[in-house]
Amino acid sequence: MKFLLILLVSILAAGPGAGDTQERDEARATFAFAGEPRFEAVDIFVDAGDASLGAYQVELKGIERKEARVGTAFVKIVGLEGGDHPAFGDAPYYDPEALQGGRVIVAAFSTAADLPAGRTRVARVHVMLEGAGEPAYELKIEAAADRGGKPIRAQASTERVTKEQSEGTDQ
Amino acid sequence: MMRATKFAIAGSLILALGVTLSAIVVGCGGSNYGHMSESSTVHAPAGEGGVTADADGRVGGEAGEVRFDPSVAIAEEAFRQAAEEDDYESSFQTRREPGIDFRTKYLERKRDVEINAQDERSKLSQGQVNFANSVTPDSGLIGTVSVDANGNVVNAPVRPRASRPAFPASRDSIKVIARLDPDEELWVISKSSDVDAERERRVGAEDAVPGAGALMCIRPSIETPVAAPLKHTEVSASMSGYISAVNVQQQYENPFDVKIEAVYVFPLPQNAAVSEFVMTVGDRKIRGVVRERKEAERIYEAAKSQGHHASLLTQERANIFTQKVANIEPKKSIDIDITYFNTLAYARGGYEFVFPMVVGPRFNPAGSADPVIASPRGGHPAPAGSTQVQYLRPAERTGHDIGLTLNIDAGVEIEHIHSPSHAIETETIDSTRAVVKLSRLDSIPNKDFVLRYRVAGERVKTALMTHRDERGGFFTLLAYPPAELESLERAPMEMIFVLDCSGSMNGAPIKKAKTAISRAMKKLRPDDTFQIIRFSNNASQLGPSPVLATAQNVERGLSYLDGLSGSGGTMMIEGIRAALDFPHDERRLRFVCFMTDGYIGNEAQILGAVHEKLGESRIFSFGVGSSPNRFLMNRMAKLGMGAVAYVGLNDNAGEVMDLFFDRISHPALSNLYVDWGSMEVTDVYPRRTPDLFVDRPIMLTGRFNGNEPTTIRLRGRAGGEFRDVLIEVDPRECEGRHKGIPNVWARTKIADLADEATYAMSVDPAEAARIPMAIEQTALQFGLVSAYTAFVAVDSLSQTEGAYGVSVQQPVHVPEGVKYSTTVGR
């Protein structure tokens, strides 16, 4: 369990990594996009295989580097929501400093008796898109642990969510 | 057995012979805002006996019984006067039920009387009095009740009123339970039912409504209900040591038939580090993110215009915030949860937790850059760049109420818990822990909630609190003045009293302030000098220069003080200039005491002037009233190298002034230098260490790397000598004390930068231009709201139908004790 706590604390307290300053400068630059901004959500899934998922940390990034902007949506994260399983149902925490660099580091841990195994949606990230192109996301799983805080192998993936899909699954 | 007490108020005399150790005054048909009529007389019975009401709503009429003018304000004033002069404390208590509201006001003796409001009639026990039988639908009364030496209830006869019922016939009764000590009595007095209902209904009417007593019943027939989007605020706080973690849940519900955007301007403590923001739509919780303010506003507007549920939290002042919630559909609700950390005031074993509930109506001098505008409900939208607070008219009410639960974990034995502002219910968990709840009888958000609790010992158990994470170590340190200061005598002083005589101070606040000044003047020594300055639209003063505090001069000063009243605007800058432009008498220490509610919108200008003109003066700010501008008060004292104190409407102004004199009667430890030993400390805030006054510890916060036990040494000058304060600390033992410490550090740094910004422009424009970016970067790094950052949350998957509808601003009450007519309705 100590691992879980350290994991969460480290997420919330994460300092800027190499290149963050440059990324932030890029992300903070003002761009004039044609048309209205759009909003969509990105679901984050973690597949822990047979193990029970007790904690995770992922980093999500919209592709927003200068060279990729032509024909690409500029992504801004505007909200974080929990996942499907009750153990990860609360809105997860994020690292505020990383957010200013155009990425979000999301993490959560659960002490619930019932933990999910296999592939489960752990979070939903709401984003605002600007620009004409389709967005692209990069997701990296940075840590996963079981109920006891023991690191486990897990894979993470994203799925874009439309309003229609959401209505189909959430209602 | 009976004791005599005199209540003297301006223009009237209330004699309560033989009774009134505690009092509850009951009435019906009044408004929320007590005003004072010009004259009245109340005579209490010479002995025990009933109190009756005649057809005119007057109680008494029989020889030897109570007679009084049915005026709420008179009773309130009498109580306050009594609280000041007769060593009583007065408190408020509010009861609210569907269709009927009550408000009780009572006095309690300071020693150990505790008054509770409960509902079960059955909870009678020794020393408790149940008024269920005293106030009935057709009695209107009323009576005095006491307990005898054995704790038995002695219920005086209740006589029915000759006129119409005081309370709606559908009500069973009013049940108020109060605990009395033997030999004490509780008064229950009716108020007039001859209230001109039309007068109350009149929009924008003067809010002085006749009626007596302090338990007011607002009948639905004479109250104007106002539909508003904010239904309820629920506050839950945990106090650990001198840091509190507070969650504020605002529950919005659209009562209209069209979609709305809710806008609510509300206060939080001026040192609140707001670090979490969650929007709940149905079962879904969406955590908001911190963005640069303009960017957050742009995101919010885009989401709003496209029909998404969205919310935005911005900061207008360190203690004023605006919450916007977009696209609330008819009859639907959205909740907003805001979490913050802040530090508690601490002195002599006592902590003080404050939760402000309403923003007072501000005065903005012409040309104010970013004013906070007070408007009547439904008034014209404020100009861009300003913040507008809309106020309910006197007889108007929304359904917005507030609940509050505090979990206290003191770590040491809790000796006493008390709220001077509200009725509370306290549950003791064990000797070191307790749960305090705001009584549901006191749920109208129109004044600051203040809770004081005293713990064992004169000092906190752990002065140093630390927290480490990947960012490094953070600490807070509570530093005490050296004990020997109390044995040092002060030098002669030059005391400048500056009294805010603006319209918002009219009535109870200015009386409170005058009482405090009066007390202070009587404590001056003959070799001290003093001056009294008043300001409203302009400033004037007792004389051209300070005068010696001789008996004759003090008498003249008191006479001048007595003639001051509240009206007009709040040109505080005039008061600042008048107080600080005096030539300084170098033989004396100059103390400037500002007595004000701080209801101004040009705080930056005032703080800049304080810094510019301070010189050798020390400023002590006294926040007066039920909901003073604590941001301004604290910053004036900080920049003025003095201290802050508050004089609530239920506080004993004399006691507050006595404590102040205790502090300044000894020299302060000044020009402080701190040697942090092996803690490897950096980034300490506030950067300019405040002076250490007797009975007033200071809080320092910083970053550190050290890990070994060490000794922190504070060195300063007092009484012409260097003096040291040594604090033994072991960072390892203090580790993990509170996860909120990094946020407290960041917020303190932001406050320090903001202070700097108020005066840097005139000193170093290049440096001043850098400050906003420094504040923004700190706030973004720690995920905090600031003047330059904001929280935004968008539900990208919801898309409501049609246009985003209209913006509806949540109207609020003017603070208790403040007159609508002399502020908003001016």
Side-chain angles (χ1 to χ4, degrees):
Chain A
M1 190 50 59
K2 189 175 179 185
F3 169 80
L4 303 179
L5 291 172
I6 292 170
L7 174 68
L8 187 61
V9 167
S10 67
I11 292 158
L12 299 177
D20 276 0
T21 305
Q22 184 188 349
E23 282 185 8
R24 183 190 306 163
D25 290 344
E26 290 175 7
R28 287 169 59 87
T30 301
F31 297 94
F33 291 101
E36 282 218 337
R38 298 162 284 148
F39 293 88
E40 71 171 29
V42 184
D43 280 346
I44 296 176
F45 293 85
V46 173
D47 187 347
D50 294 334
S52 294
L53 183 66
Y56 71 89
Q57 176 177 324
V58 297
E59 177 184 318
L60 177 73
K61 188 160 59 174
I63 295 178
E64 55 187 22
R65 293 182 189 284
K66 227 171 218 171
E67 61 274 18
R69 280 204 186 98
V70 179
T72 301
F74 190 85
V75 177
K76 280 212 172 292
I77 291 145
V78 295
L80 295 161
E81 196 176 345
D84 286 329
H85 196 280
F88 295 101
D90 286 342
Y93 288 92
Y94 68 98
D95 169 17
E97 186 162 13
L99 190 70
Q100 309 315 318
R103 62 200 173 105
V104 63
I105 297 175
V106 182
F109 75 94
S110 175
T111 56
D114 178 27
L115 294 174
R119 185 174 186 260
T120 186
R121 182 168 70 91
V122 293
R124 173 171 286 169
V125 181
H126 297 270
V127 300
M128 184 175 84
L129 307 172
E130 292 178 285
E134 288 297 303
Y137 300 98
E138 289 179 3
L139 180 70
K140 184 168 63 176
I141 186 159
E142 299 190 328
D146 65 10
R147 184 192 316 276
K150 181 183 169 190
I152 57 175
R153 293 177 66 87
Q155 293 184 322
S157 57
T158 61
E159 282 184 15
R160 288 174 63 192
V161 189
T162 64
K163 181 169 175 284
E164 291 70 28
Q165 283 174 322
S166 166
E167 286 169 349
T169 57
D170 289 350
Q171 291 183 1
Chain B
M1 170 177 166
M2 294 298 179
R3 277 162 276 190
T5 307
K6 286 185 180 178
F7 299 163
I9 61 174
S12 67
L13 179 67
I14 297 177
L15 292 174
L17 300 176
V19 287
T20 68
L21 297 185
S22 297
I24 288 184
V25 185
V26 177
C28 142
S31 82
N32 272 347
Y33 313 110
H35 274 223
M36 189 166 174
S37 62
E38 290 309 315
S39 65
S40 68
T41 304
V42 176
H43 296 289
E48 292 186 31
V51 184
T52 60
D54 62 19
D56 295 323
R58 289 173 184 273
V59 175
E62 298 179 21
E65 292 193 342
V66 173
R67 303 176 57 205
F68 66 93
D69 185 303
S71 162
V72 171
I74 286 170
E76 289 180 351
E77 289 304 320
F79 289 174
R80 290 186 185 122
Q81 193 80 1
E84 288 156 14
E85 297 188 354
D86 295 306
D87 293 333
Y88 290 91
E89 287 182 351
S90 59
S91 298
F92 297 89
Q93 175 176 318
T94 304
R95 176 174 183 143
R96 190 171 196 194
E97 290 184 0
I100 188 164
D101 286 348
F102 309 106
R103 186 150 145 236
T104 63
K105 186 184 300 293
Y106 50 82
L107 286 176
E108 57 181 295
R109 290 195 70 193
K110 268 193 265 174
R111 50 189 170 86
D112 55 2
V113 177
E114 186 177 320
I115 295 192
N116 298 316
Q118 301 179 26
D119 280 332
E120 289 101 6
R121 194 183 301 196
S122 60
K123 284 191 176 174
L124 269 176
S125 62
Q126 181 172 326
Q128 291 187 329
V129 179
N130 188 335
F131 284 96
N133 298 323
S134 299
V135 184
T136 60
D138 53 2
S139 74
L141 158 0
I142 328 316
T144 59
V145 184
S146 63
V147 290
D148 63 20
N150 298 317
N152 298 318
V153 174
V154 180
N155 203 345
V158 174
R159 303 184 190 185
R161 296 180 62 146
S163 61
R164 62 178 179 261
F167 302 100
S170 59
R171 275 197 52 73
D172 293 331
S173 62
I174 297 172
K175 293 168 282 187
V176 179
I177 296 178
R179 181 178 301 130
L180 299 179
D181 281 352
D183 293 346
E184 292 184 338
E185 286 194 355
L186 203 70
W187 283 16
V188 183
I189 306 169
S190 77
K191 64 179 285 186
S192 168
S193 59
D194 266 356
V195 173
D196 182 350
E198 286 307 313
R199 184 176 171 193
E200 286 206 351
R201 276 204 204 93
R202 198 162 27 124
V203 172
E206 173 77 21
D207 52 327
V209 179
L215 173 59
M216 287 177 290
C217 153
I218 300 175
R219 290 173 294 185
S221 60
I222 59 173
E223 181 183 78
T224 305
V226 173
L230 182 58
K231 185 180 173 188
H232 180 74
T233 299
E234 187 64 38
V235 181
S236 56
S238 298
M239 279 89 92
S240 177
Y242 51 87
I243 295 180
S244 66
V246 183
N247 181 262
V248 182
Q249 184 177 75
Q250 298 169 345
Q251 300 169 4
Y252 295 89
E253 186 176 289
N254 181 357
F256 303 102
D257 295 331
V258 296
K259 203 164 62 170
I260 63 165
E261 175 195 40
V263 180
Y264 177 36
V265 179
F266 65 101
L268 288 175
Q270 52 93 20
N271 60 348
V274 180
S275 58
E276 285 192 42
F277 180 81
V278 175
M279 174 176 73
T280 302
V281 184
D283 294 334
R284 300 172 53 216
K285 293 181 183 300
I286 298 171
R287 182 178 300 281
V289 295
V290 170
R291 293 283 183 192
E292 184 269 329
R293 178 171 177 154
K294 283 190 168 48
E295 178 70 358
E297 289 172 338
R298 191 174 70 86
I299 292 169
Y300 173 78
E301 290 299 328
K304 183 178 86 170
S305 67
Q306 294 178 34
H308 294 286
H309 293 131
S311 49
L312 175 74
L313 177 67
T314 54
Q315 176 186 309
E316 318 306 341
R317 296 286 189 279
N319 60 343
I320 301 178
F321 297 78
T322 298
Q323 179 67 62
K324 293 182 177 179
V325 185
N327 294 305
I328 311 177
E329 296 165 292
K331 316 307 175 194
K332 296 290 180 62
S333 60
I334 292 178
D335 294 349
I336 301 295
D337 280 87
I338 298 163
T339 302
Y340 67 82
F341 296 98
N342 72 335
T343 51
L344 307 179
Y346 176 86
R348 281 200 177 161
Y351 291 95
E352 183 175 273
F353 171 88
V354 176
F355 183 80
M357 295 184 180
V358 66
V359 175
R362 306 299 175 87
F363 175 85
N364 302 281
S368 294
D370 56 344
V372 179
I373 297 172
S375 304
R377 181 184 64 82
H380 295 296
S386 63
T387 302
Q388 184 183 41
V389 184
Q390 294 195 357
Y391 291 91
L392 294 162
R393 296 179 178 86
E396 293 180 334
R397 283 289 302 275
T398 67
H400 178 214
D401 61 4
I402 191 163
L404 205 146
T405 303
L406 311 177
N407 291 282
I408 303 172
D409 184 358
V412 293
E413 186 178 344
I414 301 171
E415 294 179 343
H416 183 63
I417 298 176
H418 166 68
S419 171
S421 61
H422 287 76
I424 57 171
E425 296 163 0
T426 303
E427 179 189 354
T428 301
I429 306 298
D430 56 35
S431 63
T432 65
R433 295 181 299 160
V435 177
V436 176
K437 290 188 176 180
L438 178 66
S439 168
R440 70 180 185 84
L441 312 176
D442 206 352
S443 60
I444 298 174
N446 65 345
K447 56 189 169 183
D448 291 357
F449 174 83
V450 178
L451 184 83
R452 294 171 186 151
Y453 56 101
R454 196 172 60 242
V455 297
E458 290 288 299
R459 298 191 170 196
V460 295
K461 186 178 175 186
T462 311
L464 181 72
M465 297 173 79
T466 65
H467 176 87
R468 285 181 205 258
D469 54 35
E470 279 67 21
R471 296 168 294 193
F474 297 85
F475 70 88
T476 57
L477 175 74
L478 208 57
Y480 297 86
E484 66 258 31
L485 285 189
E486 298 196 40
S487 62
L488 301 177
E489 282 299 308
R490 68 170 170 89
M493 60 189 181
E494 182 181 75
M495 184 67 79
I496 313 296
F497 300 105
V498 187
L499 178 60
D500 178 351
C501 290
S502 63
S504 61
M505 290 285 287
N506 184 289
I510 200 167
K511 287 183 183 301
K512 214 67 172 169
K514 287 162 72 172
T515 301
I517 293 175
S518 167
R519 179 76 148 243
M521 287 172 64
K522 293 170 185 170
K523 294 177 82 77
L524 292 172
R525 299 191 316 217
D527 58 346
D528 296 328
T529 60
F530 74 94
Q531 171 68 288
I532 301 173
I533 297 169
R534 60 150 295 283
F535 70 90
S536 54
N537 290 325
N538 49 38
S540 57
Q541 58 204 44
L542 172 66
S545 58
V547 295
L548 278 171
T550 61
Q552 190 178 9
N553 284 339
V554 167
E555 195 59 38
R556 191 162 66 90
L558 291 173
S559 176
Y560 175 77
L561 185 68
D562 192 46
L564 301 179
S565 60
S567 66
T570 314
M571 294 298 292
M572 187 177 282
I573 194 71
E574 300 296 328
I576 297 279
R577 287 176 183 145
L580 298 179
D581 283 349
F582 268 111
H584 180 227
D585 179 352
E586 293 183 353
R587 294 165 301 175
R588 293 181 167 83
L589 301 169
R590 173 185 282 187
F591 295 103
V592 180
C593 297
F594 273 91
M595 315 290 298
T596 176
D597 53 23
Y599 288 166
I600 56 165
N602 60 327
E603 290 101 326
Q605 185 191 15
I606 297 302
L607 297 175
V610 166
H611 180 268
E612 179 191 343
K613 296 174 178 294
L614 184 65
E616 297 298 315
S617 301
R618 292 291 179 267
I619 289 182
F620 292 81
S621 52
F622 291 79
V624 182
S626 66
S627 189
N629 181 353
R630 291 174 188 261
F631 160 59
L632 179 68
M633 298 293 105
N634 278 270
R635 294 293 165 82
M636 281 178 70
K638 181 185 170 194
L639 289 173
M641 300 296 286
V644 64
Y646 291 95
V647 187
L649 294 184
N650 297 319
D651 283 326
N652 184 314
E655 276 188 2
V656 173
M657 197 46 85
D658 287 348
L659 281 174
F660 165 64
F661 262 84
D662 284 349
R663 283 179 184 167
I664 64 169
S665 293
H666 310 283
L669 195 63
S670 57
N671 301 316
L672 281 171
Y673 165 78
V674 186
D675 177 353
W676 295 96
S678 62
M679 275 187 67
E680 301 176 39
V681 166
T682 61
D683 301 306
V684 176
Y685 296 98
R687 278 185 284 189
R688 186 177 179 186
T689 308
D691 290 354
L692 265 173
F693 290 92
V694 165
D695 187 33
R696 181 177 170 269
I698 57 173
M699 202 271 290
L700 302 174
T701 181
R703 307 183 76 154
F704 76 104
N705 284 317
N707 201 29
E708 298 298 321
T710 190
T711 300
I712 299 171
R713 177 190 301 265
L714 279 79
R715 166 161 286 202
R717 286 183 72 89
E721 294 179 17
F722 283 107
R723 296 172 195 278
D724 291 335
V725 179
L726 303 179
I727 308 170
E728 304 290 336
V729 297
D730 185 344
R732 293 168 303 186
E733 285 186 2
C734 305
E735 206 159 311
R737 291 286 184 192
H738 209 297
K739 66 176 183 178
I741 290 173
N743 287 347
V744 167
W745 175 84
R747 182 64 179 182
T748 310
K749 176 181 178 180
I750 289 170
D752 227 43
L753 289 167
D755 287 344
E756 195 181 329
T758 60
Y759 53 79
M761 188 56 78
S762 60
V763 179
D764 185 348
E767 182 68 9
R770 180 194 61 81
I771 292 173
M773 183 59 78
I775 291 175
E776 181 186 312
Q777 285 178 346
T778 303
L780 290 174
Q781 185 184 359
F782 287 81
L784 303 180
V785 174
S786 71
Y788 306 100
T789 55
F791 267 112
V792 64
V794 177
D795 179 0
S796 65
L797 299 179
S798 66
Q799 203 148 20
T800 56
E801 297 288 329
Y804 56 78
V806 295
S807 288
V808 179
Q809 178 138 11
Q810 176 71 24
V812 300
H813 296 279
V814 293
E816 185 174 88
V818 174
K819 294 181 179 179
Y820 180 94
S821 59
T822 58
T823 53
V824 185
R826 179 165 44 203

